[in-house]
Amino acid sequence: MAALPGPAGQILADPGLAGAVIIVTGAGSGIGAAAARQLGAAGARVALVGRRTGPLDEVAGKIQSAGGNPPMAVSGGSHHH
């Protein structure tokens, strides 16, 4: 993973990720959400993709609250009948 836990729960950023654009699928929950938060904390610009907009908005808020760059895009899936 690009970021490692540091002292007192702080994140040690990988300088190679600063400014990188990374698309994270399944970013609304589980491993995708955790990866998006870690990448955002490491200085990457994260594009969040998932089926449900609500959880994506929550992850985006957590990235920004932790001082990360605002996500570039938040995309929810569409429902086909």
PDB file of all heavy atoms in Angstrom, residues 50-75:
ATOM      1  N   GLY A  50     -18.642   3.978  -7.557  1.00  0.00           N
ATOM      2  CA  GLY A  50     -19.385   2.930  -6.876  1.00  0.00           C
ATOM      3  C   GLY A  50     -20.843   2.985  -7.267  1.00  0.00           C
ATOM      4  O   GLY A  50     -21.271   3.866  -8.015  1.00  0.00           O
ATOM      5  N   ARG A  51     -21.628   2.038  -6.769  1.00  0.00           N
ATOM      6  CA  ARG A  51     -23.040   1.940  -7.143  1.00  0.00           C
ATOM      7  C   ARG A  51     -23.930   2.917  -6.399  1.00  0.00           C
ATOM      8  O   ARG A  51     -24.951   3.351  -6.936  1.00  0.00           O
ATOM      9  CB  ARG A  51     -23.549   0.517  -6.888  1.00  0.00           C
ATOM     10  CG  ARG A  51     -22.910  -0.490  -7.815  1.00  0.00           C
ATOM     11  CD  ARG A  51     -23.405  -1.871  -7.491  1.00  0.00           C
ATOM     12  NE  ARG A  51     -22.899  -2.227  -6.163  1.00  0.00           N
ATOM     13  CZ  ARG A  51     -23.271  -3.292  -5.483  1.00  0.00           C
ATOM     14  NH1 ARG A  51     -24.161  -4.117  -5.971  1.00  0.00           N
ATOM     15  NH2 ARG A  51     -22.762  -3.546  -4.290  1.00  0.00           N
ATOM     16  N   ARG A  52     -23.596   3.243  -5.165  1.00  0.00           N
ATOM     17  CA  ARG A  52     -24.474   4.078  -4.344  1.00  0.00           C
ATOM     18  C   ARG A  52     -23.804   5.412  -4.027  1.00  0.00           C
ATOM     19  O   ARG A  52     -22.696   5.444  -3.494  1.00  0.00           O
ATOM     20  CB  ARG A  52     -24.836   3.339  -3.062  1.00  0.00           C
ATOM     21  CG  ARG A  52     -25.630   2.060  -3.354  1.00  0.00           C
ATOM     22  CD  ARG A  52     -25.841   1.210  -2.123  1.00  0.00           C
ATOM     23  NE  ARG A  52     -24.535   0.688  -1.693  1.00  0.00           N
ATOM     24  CZ  ARG A  52     -24.161   0.567  -0.433  1.00  0.00           C
ATOM     25  NH1 ARG A  52     -24.953   0.921   0.543  1.00  0.00           N
ATOM     26  NH2 ARG A  52     -22.977   0.082  -0.123  1.00  0.00           N
ATOM     27  N   THR A  53     -24.488   6.496  -4.352  1.00  0.00           N
ATOM     28  CA  THR A  53     -23.930   7.831  -4.185  1.00  0.00           C
ATOM     29  C   THR A  53     -23.732   8.197  -2.716  1.00  0.00           C
ATOM     30  O   THR A  53     -22.725   8.806  -2.361  1.00  0.00           O
ATOM     31  CB  THR A  53     -24.826   8.879  -4.873  1.00  0.00           C
ATOM     32  OG1 THR A  53     -24.949   8.524  -6.246  1.00  0.00           O
ATOM     33  CG2 THR A  53     -24.229  10.266  -4.789  1.00  0.00           C
ATOM     34  N   GLY A  54     -24.667   7.814  -1.840  1.00  0.00           N
ATOM     35  CA  GLY A  54     -24.577   8.167  -0.418  1.00  0.00           C
ATOM     36  C   GLY A  54     -23.262   7.738   0.227  1.00  0.00           C
ATOM     37  O   GLY A  54     -22.567   8.571   0.822  1.00  0.00           O
ATOM     38  N   PRO A  55     -22.898   6.459   0.129  1.00  0.00           N
ATOM     39  CA  PRO A  55     -21.627   6.032   0.717  1.00  0.00           C
ATOM     40  C   PRO A  55     -20.407   6.707   0.077  1.00  0.00           C
ATOM     41  O   PRO A  55     -19.420   6.979   0.759  1.00  0.00           O
ATOM     42  CB  PRO A  55     -21.601   4.520   0.470  1.00  0.00           C
ATOM     43  CG  PRO A  55     -23.040   4.139   0.367  1.00  0.00           C
ATOM     44  CD  PRO A  55     -23.699   5.311  -0.300  1.00  0.00           C
ATOM     45  N   LEU A  56     -20.483   7.000  -1.230  1.00  0.00           N
ATOM     46  CA  LEU A  56     -19.370   7.685  -1.892  1.00  0.00           C
ATOM     47  C   LEU A  56     -19.206   9.088  -1.322  1.00  0.00           C
ATOM     48  O   LEU A  56     -18.082   9.550  -1.097  1.00  0.00           O
ATOM     49  CB  LEU A  56     -19.589   7.756  -3.398  1.00  0.00           C
ATOM     50  CG  LEU A  56     -19.604   6.421  -4.144  1.00  0.00           C
ATOM     51  CD1 LEU A  56     -19.957   6.653  -5.607  1.00  0.00           C
ATOM     52  CD2 LEU A  56     -18.290   5.697  -4.011  1.00  0.00           C
ATOM     53  N   ASP A  57     -20.337   9.758  -1.078  1.00  0.00           N
ATOM     54  CA  ASP A  57     -20.281  11.099  -0.483  1.00  0.00           C
ATOM     55  C   ASP A  57     -19.650  11.050   0.911  1.00  0.00           C
ATOM     56  O   ASP A  57     -18.887  11.945   1.286  1.00  0.00           O
ATOM     57  CB  ASP A  57     -21.674  11.714  -0.405  1.00  0.00           C
ATOM     58  CG  ASP A  57     -22.233  12.098  -1.766  1.00  0.00           C
ATOM     59  OD1 ASP A  57     -21.448  12.256  -2.727  1.00  0.00           O
ATOM     60  OD2 ASP A  57     -23.468  12.227  -1.865  1.00  0.00           O
ATOM     61  N   GLU A  58     -19.968   9.991   1.677  1.00  0.00           N
ATOM     62  CA  GLU A  58     -19.390   9.849   3.017  1.00  0.00           C
ATOM     63  C   GLU A  58     -17.872   9.674   2.940  1.00  0.00           C
ATOM     64  O   GLU A  58     -17.133  10.290   3.716  1.00  0.00           O
ATOM     65  CB  GLU A  58     -20.009   8.658   3.738  1.00  0.00           C
ATOM     66  CG  GLU A  58     -21.449   8.878   4.155  1.00  0.00           C
ATOM     67  CD  GLU A  58     -22.030   7.662   4.865  1.00  0.00           C
ATOM     68  OE1 GLU A  58     -21.264   6.941   5.535  1.00  0.00           O
ATOM     69  OE2 GLU A  58     -23.242   7.446   4.724  1.00  0.00           O
ATOM     70  N   VAL A  59     -17.410   8.838   2.019  1.00  0.00           N
ATOM     71  CA  VAL A  59     -15.973   8.620   1.859  1.00  0.00           C
ATOM     72  C   VAL A  59     -15.299   9.917   1.422  1.00  0.00           C
ATOM     73  O   VAL A  59     -14.240  10.279   1.936  1.00  0.00           O
ATOM     74  CB  VAL A  59     -15.685   7.474   0.867  1.00  0.00           C
ATOM     75  CG1 VAL A  59     -14.203   7.371   0.552  1.00  0.00           C
ATOM     76  CG2 VAL A  59     -16.207   6.147   1.420  1.00  0.00           C
ATOM     77  N   ALA A  60     -15.930  10.635   0.489  1.00  0.00           N
ATOM     78  CA  ALA A  60     -15.370  11.918   0.033  1.00  0.00           C
ATOM     79  C   ALA A  60     -15.230  12.882   1.201  1.00  0.00           C
ATOM     80  O   ALA A  60     -14.203  13.556   1.338  1.00  0.00           O
ATOM     81  CB  ALA A  60     -16.257  12.522  -1.056  1.00  0.00           C
ATOM     82  N   GLY A  61     -16.243  12.936   2.057  1.00  0.00           N
ATOM     83  CA  GLY A  61     -16.182  13.807   3.227  1.00  0.00           C
ATOM     84  C   GLY A  61     -15.070  13.422   4.182  1.00  0.00           C
ATOM     85  O   GLY A  61     -14.385  14.286   4.726  1.00  0.00           O
ATOM     86  N   LYS A  62     -14.862  12.109   4.367  1.00  0.00           N
ATOM     87  CA  LYS A  62     -13.794  11.650   5.262  1.00  0.00           C
ATOM     88  C   LYS A  62     -12.421  11.998   4.698  1.00  0.00           C
ATOM     89  O   LYS A  62     -11.518  12.351   5.450  1.00  0.00           O
ATOM     90  CB  LYS A  62     -13.914  10.148   5.492  1.00  0.00           C
ATOM     91  CG  LYS A  62     -15.091   9.790   6.364  1.00  0.00           C
ATOM     92  CD  LYS A  62     -15.208   8.300   6.561  1.00  0.00           C
ATOM     93  CE  LYS A  62     -16.427   7.982   7.412  1.00  0.00           C
ATOM     94  NZ  LYS A  62     -16.596   6.539   7.608  1.00  0.00           N
ATOM     95  N   ILE A  63     -12.264  11.903   3.386  1.00  0.00           N
ATOM     96  CA  ILE A  63     -10.987  12.263   2.766  1.00  0.00           C
ATOM     97  C   ILE A  63     -10.697  13.741   3.004  1.00  0.00           C
ATOM     98  O   ILE A  63      -9.597  14.117   3.402  1.00  0.00           O
ATOM     99  CB  ILE A  63     -10.993  11.933   1.258  1.00  0.00           C
ATOM    100  CG1 ILE A  63     -11.009  10.413   1.052  1.00  0.00           C
ATOM    101  CG2 ILE A  63      -9.785  12.566   0.554  1.00  0.00           C
ATOM    102  CD1 ILE A  63     -11.248   9.988  -0.385  1.00  0.00           C
ATOM    103  N   GLN A  64     -11.698  14.585   2.777  1.00  0.00           N
ATOM    104  CA  GLN A  64     -11.503  16.023   2.968  1.00  0.00           C
ATOM    105  C   GLN A  64     -11.310  16.376   4.435  1.00  0.00           C
ATOM    106  O   GLN A  64     -10.480  17.220   4.760  1.00  0.00           O
ATOM    107  CB  GLN A  64     -12.686  16.786   2.381  1.00  0.00           C
ATOM    108  CG  GLN A  64     -12.678  16.765   0.869  1.00  0.00           C
ATOM    109  CD  GLN A  64     -13.785  17.594   0.294  1.00  0.00           C
ATOM    110  OE1 GLN A  64     -14.894  17.119   0.127  1.00  0.00           O
ATOM    111  NE2 GLN A  64     -13.479  18.847  -0.011  1.00  0.00           N
ATOM    112  N   SER A  65     -12.053  15.728   5.331  1.00  0.00           N
ATOM    113  CA  SER A  65     -11.915  16.002   6.767  1.00  0.00           C
ATOM    114  C   SER A  65     -10.524  15.661   7.279  1.00  0.00           C
ATOM    115  O   SER A  65     -10.029  16.281   8.210  1.00  0.00           O
ATOM    116  CB  SER A  65     -12.945  15.197   7.564  1.00  0.00           C
ATOM    117  OG  SER A  65     -14.239  15.644   7.268  1.00  0.00           O
ATOM    118  N   ALA A  66      -9.909  14.660   6.654  1.00  0.00           N
ATOM    119  CA  ALA A  66      -8.561  14.248   7.059  1.00  0.00           C
ATOM    120  C   ALA A  66      -7.483  15.100   6.401  1.00  0.00           C
ATOM    121  O   ALA A  66      -6.302  14.840   6.573  1.00  0.00           O
ATOM    122  CB  ALA A  66      -8.344  12.778   6.702  1.00  0.00           C
ATOM    123  N   GLY A  67      -7.890  16.112   5.626  1.00  0.00           N
ATOM    124  CA  GLY A  67      -6.921  17.005   5.008  1.00  0.00           C
ATOM    125  C   GLY A  67      -6.494  16.597   3.618  1.00  0.00           C
ATOM    126  O   GLY A  67      -5.597  17.204   3.044  1.00  0.00           O
ATOM    127  N   GLY A  68      -7.147  15.584   3.050  1.00  0.00           N
ATOM    128  CA  GLY A  68      -6.809  15.152   1.693  1.00  0.00           C
ATOM    129  C   GLY A  68      -7.425  16.049   0.640  1.00  0.00           C
ATOM    130  O   GLY A  68      -8.293  16.878   0.932  1.00  0.00           O
ATOM    131  N   ASN A  69      -6.961  15.887  -0.585  1.00  0.00           N
ATOM    132  CA  ASN A  69      -7.530  16.625  -1.709  1.00  0.00           C
ATOM    133  C   ASN A  69      -8.981  16.209  -1.907  1.00  0.00           C
ATOM    134  O   ASN A  69      -9.311  15.036  -1.742  1.00  0.00           O
ATOM    135  CB  ASN A  69      -6.758  16.301  -3.001  1.00  0.00           C
ATOM    136  CG  ASN A  69      -5.351  16.826  -2.982  1.00  0.00           C
ATOM    137  OD1 ASN A  69      -5.106  17.943  -2.544  1.00  0.00           O
ATOM    138  ND2 ASN A  69      -4.415  16.020  -3.447  1.00  0.00           N
ATOM    139  N   PRO A  70      -9.840  17.147  -2.281  1.00  0.00           N
ATOM    140  CA  PRO A  70     -11.221  16.752  -2.563  1.00  0.00           C
ATOM    141  C   PRO A  70     -11.244  15.765  -3.727  1.00  0.00           C
ATOM    142  O   PRO A  70     -10.492  15.940  -4.681  1.00  0.00           O
ATOM    143  CB  PRO A  70     -11.919  18.055  -2.957  1.00  0.00           C
ATOM    144  CG  PRO A  70     -10.951  19.146  -2.744  1.00  0.00           C
ATOM    145  CD  PRO A  70      -9.601  18.555  -2.474  1.00  0.00           C
ATOM    146  N   PRO A  71     -12.064  14.718  -3.644  1.00  0.00           N
ATOM    147  CA  PRO A  71     -12.152  13.776  -4.757  1.00  0.00           C
ATOM    148  C   PRO A  71     -12.519  14.484  -6.061  1.00  0.00           C
ATOM    149  O   PRO A  71     -13.286  15.440  -6.064  1.00  0.00           O
ATOM    150  CB  PRO A  71     -13.257  12.816  -4.332  1.00  0.00           C
ATOM    151  CG  PRO A  71     -13.223  12.873  -2.853  1.00  0.00           C
ATOM    152  CD  PRO A  71     -12.882  14.293  -2.523  1.00  0.00           C
ATOM    153  N   MET A  72     -11.945  14.010  -7.170  1.00  0.00           N
ATOM    154  CA  MET A  72     -12.183  14.630  -8.473  1.00  0.00           C
ATOM    155  C   MET A  72     -13.591  14.363  -8.986  1.00  0.00           C
ATOM    156  O   MET A  72     -14.153  15.181  -9.675  1.00  0.00           O
ATOM    157  CB  MET A  72     -11.165  14.127  -9.483  1.00  0.00           C
ATOM    158  CG  MET A  72      -9.765  14.611  -9.171  1.00  0.00           C
ATOM    159  SD  MET A  72      -8.601  14.138 -10.417  1.00  0.00           S
ATOM    160  CE  MET A  72      -9.181  15.067 -11.807  1.00  0.00           C
ATOM    161  N   ALA A  73     -14.124  13.190  -8.696  1.00  0.00           N
ATOM    162  CA  ALA A  73     -15.454  12.839  -9.177  1.00  0.00           C
ATOM    163  C   ALA A  73     -16.087  11.853  -8.210  1.00  0.00           C
ATOM    164  O   ALA A  73     -15.392  11.027  -7.638  1.00  0.00           O
ATOM    165  CB  ALA A  73     -15.382  12.250 -10.575  1.00  0.00           C
ATOM    166  N   VAL A  74     -17.363  11.969  -8.032  1.00  0.00           N
ATOM    167  CA  VAL A  74     -18.107  10.983  -7.269  1.00  0.00           C
ATOM    168  C   VAL A  74     -19.197  10.479  -8.191  1.00  0.00           C
ATOM    169  O   VAL A  74     -20.019  11.248  -8.660  1.00  0.00           O
ATOM    170  CB  VAL A  74     -18.708  11.607  -5.990  1.00  0.00           C
ATOM    171  CG1 VAL A  74     -19.549  10.583  -5.241  1.00  0.00           C
ATOM    172  CG2 VAL A  74     -17.603  12.152  -5.091  1.00  0.00           C
ATOM    173  N   SER A  75     -19.172   9.194  -8.482  1.00  0.00           N
ATOM    174  CA  SER A  75     -20.092   8.634  -9.463  1.00  0.00           C
ATOM    175  C   SER A  75     -20.899   7.516  -8.853  1.00  0.00           C
ATOM    176  O   SER A  75     -20.356   6.609  -8.247  1.00  0.00           O
ATOM    177  CB  SER A  75     -19.290   8.105 -10.652  1.00  0.00           C
ATOM    178  OG  SER A  75     -20.123   7.437 -11.549  1.00  0.00           O
TER     179      SER A  75
END
